[in-house]
């Protein structure tokens, strides 16, 4: 999947979700997804650091 296809798919998915959620539900889901993204990035950075330590 190309970067353009990926972003188009994400946009379509977001529009589909938003059409079926209340404003409060949509706000909560956005916050949950933001936290999920930050947590995944934290895990990724920790793995990178651990891998570099093991390679040294």
């Amino acid at each position: 999947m190309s970067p353009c296809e990926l972003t188009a798919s994400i946009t379509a998915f977001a529009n589909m979700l938003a059409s079926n959620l209340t404003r409060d539900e949509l706000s909560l889901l956005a916050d949950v997804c933001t936290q999920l993204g930050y947590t995944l990035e934290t895990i990724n950075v920790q793995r990178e650091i651990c891998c570099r330590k093991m390679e040294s």
Side-chain angles (χ1 to χ4, degrees):
M1 181 178 291
S2 74
C4 290
E5 291 169 330
L6 178 60
T7 56
S9 298
I10 292 168
T11 299
F13 183 60
N15 286 324
M16 181 195 67
L17 283 174
S19 68
N20 295 313
L21 298 174
T22 66
R23 291 180 71 182
D24 286 343
E25 292 169 334
L26 185 57
S27 181
L28 178 60
L29 181 59
D31 286 342
V32 167
C33 290
T34 297
Q35 182 177 351
L36 174 63
Y38 284 131
T39 301
L40 290 172
E41 183 59 24
T42 300
I43 291 167
N44 189 47
V45 169
Q46 184 180 16
R47 285 181 178 177
E48 289 177 8
I49 292 169
C50 289
C51 286
R52 281 192 299 235
K53 285 182 180 180
M54 291 176 65
E55 292 172 355
S56 299

